[in-house]
Amino acid sequence: MKQILILGAGTAGTMMANKLSKGLDIEEWKITIVDKDKIHYYQPGLLFIPFDIYKKEDVIKPKANFFPSNVEFIITEISKILPEENKVLFTDGKTIKYDFLLIATGTNVCPEETPGLKGNLWYKNIFDFYTLNGALELQKFFRYWEGGKLVVNIADMPFKCPVAPIEFVCLADDFFTKKGIRDKVDITYVTPLSGAFTKPIATKMLSELLEEKNIHVVTDFYLEKVDNEKKTIVSYDGIEIPFDVLTIVPLNKGDEMIARSGMGDELNYVPTNKFTLQSDKYQNIFIIGDAANIPTSKAGSVAHFASEIVYENLICAIEGRTLTAKFDGHANCYIETGKGKGVLIDFNYDTEPLPGTFPLPGIGPFGLLKNTKMNHYGKILFRWIYWHILLKGKEMPIESHMTFAGKNKVNI
Amino acid sequence: MVEKIIAGVTVNVNNEGYLENPAQWTKDIALEIAKEYNLTLTEKHFQVIDYLRKAHLNGETLTMRKVGSSGIVDIKGLYELFPGGPLKISSKIAGIPKPTSCV
Ligand SMILES: Cc1cc2nc3c(=O)[nH]c(=O)nc-3n(C[C@H](O)[C@H](O)[C@H](O)COP(=O)(O)OP(=O)(O)OC[C@H]3O[C@@H](n4cnc5c(N)ncnc54)[C@H](O)[C@@H]3O)c2cc1C
């Protein structure tokens, strides 16, 4: 039997295991997926925990629920890939030889990389919401907080789900308004970018939205350290911003295992062909999800669109044909904006988010780059879709390649 | 795209003044653009510029952290050399495109 080994059973790995188990001849292929964690976290749901909208139980399920019986699921930590020997080592001393390898080990937050971030104030006045623990601690804090300066800061680029911190400040505005203390809460969004978002048209739309909500935006702030005594964040050029509570998106890095394998860039992301999703160096290795260094968003929707490309190209590679599928970097994100509304953006490597309707041109039901109630329902529905359709690798009524149909050209 | 004469050479720049073609770059152009930022380029500046140009030609994506771990200068040092927006300004002086952060 030949072996396909999938490293990481998060969003991307789980989708691939399901796709492959349906598509490959199971007499001929053994599919194995490995993860150190037996719990699957619905990461987009972490955003809602600090504001008491979701509970812990809403965002966790056993990983084992999501694999068909012909996929072998092993819980163990990956120590190292030996790509020259087509072999993976595990920390328990076992090894697995593979014919084809899929790397789907995602990205992690690394608060320890910023001086002072994990100091005295960690989980007292400083929280991340990118981990379940951080989100739960912040939930407890916000329940009893009576107001002050809330600073939301992104430590560095790139980070997964680049819209999440914008959603966070919008939901905070909503939350404190409902609590009746919005006038006592000063919200500041501090980013290393030169605007609220990277792409111009979406940045303009989102900046106006933040202004409307009286959320201050500080741009071009590149975090050097946190001063625990003075309760300030300090940039490399010496600018200090005081906070009473800091919500941080720490530096994101690929797993250390990638570095141990000598397969990553300076942030442990694996050099990947942005069109074929094959490793730049090894023909029998493909990378899917946040672990790849491709220039698009690190998001579940991107992993979903990429999964069809990886599937097709893996089959080509198995059959010794040239790789025919070409990824366009397609991303599609619902941005929760509070007050029961949301904005939807759809873009790829070459095209920035444009206004229009989605997925049906001229009809919708979702409005692109518009703040609507329907888009909010899209986000809420997404949790159900994630658990029941996306992870299981079922077809979704959305093309993997971005389309211009239903989009309007704009001049800014 | 517009044509502009910098240090006596005609080059193509985009609407933000970044060179469209890194091959048109010369040291004199660097010195000239640096003046717009009131910078007098030293040996150290040129080491950074050299690194940026090589990395760009290699198709690498440049980030502040990457330059900071290049062994040539740390991030603090980069801010001292090119105050304001270190990577944006140094890239402009180096004649390479404005660094884009991915979404
Ligand atoms: C707050 C938040 C909100 C988000 N909102 C959205 C959204 O609205 N829409 C959207 O599309 N995306 C969103 N995302 C992003 C999305 O969750 C990720 O992009 C997606 O989960 C990436 O999938 P992945 O499989 O690449 O990585 P992951 O799902 O993170 O999986 C990686 C897996 O690899 C395992 N692993 C890593 N290293 C090892 C090792 N050495 N040994 C064993 N196992 C290992 C990990 O345990 C993990 O299970 C959000 C993320 C966050 C944090």
Side-chain angles (χ1 to χ4, degrees), chain A residues 13 17 131 264 295:
Chain A
T131 59

Side-chain angles (χ1 to χ4, degrees), chain A residues 7-14 34-37 39-47 63 76-79 104-108 129-131 160-161 163-164 167 255-257 260 288-291 298-303 332-334 379 382 386:
Chain A
L7 302 182
T11 314
T14 305
V34 186
D35 203 293
K36 58 175 184 269
D37 204 330
I39 292 175
H40 192 114
Y41 300 93
Y42 173 59
Q43 297 177 40
L46 297 176
L47 171 70
K63 281 189 194 298
T76 179
E77 185 165 353
I78 305 147
S79 165
T105 41
T107 182
N108 306 316
F129 65 99
Y130 271 47
T131 59
K160 64 178 149 185
C161 199
V163 295
E167 301 182 275
D255 198 77
E256 278 306 313
M257 173 279 291
R260 289 195 294 271
I288 179 161
D290 297 347
K298 297 197 179 298
S301 67
V302 174
N332 179 281
C333 306
Y334 288 96
K379 180 98 184 183
F382 188 63
Y386 184 89

Side-chain angles (χ1 to χ4, degrees), chain A residues 135-148:
Chain A
L136 289 169
E137 289 295 327
L138 188 53
Q139 182 185 61
K140 277 192 249 163
F141 181 89
F142 275 165
R143 273 183 193 159
Y144 304 106
W145 193 45
E146 288 169 0

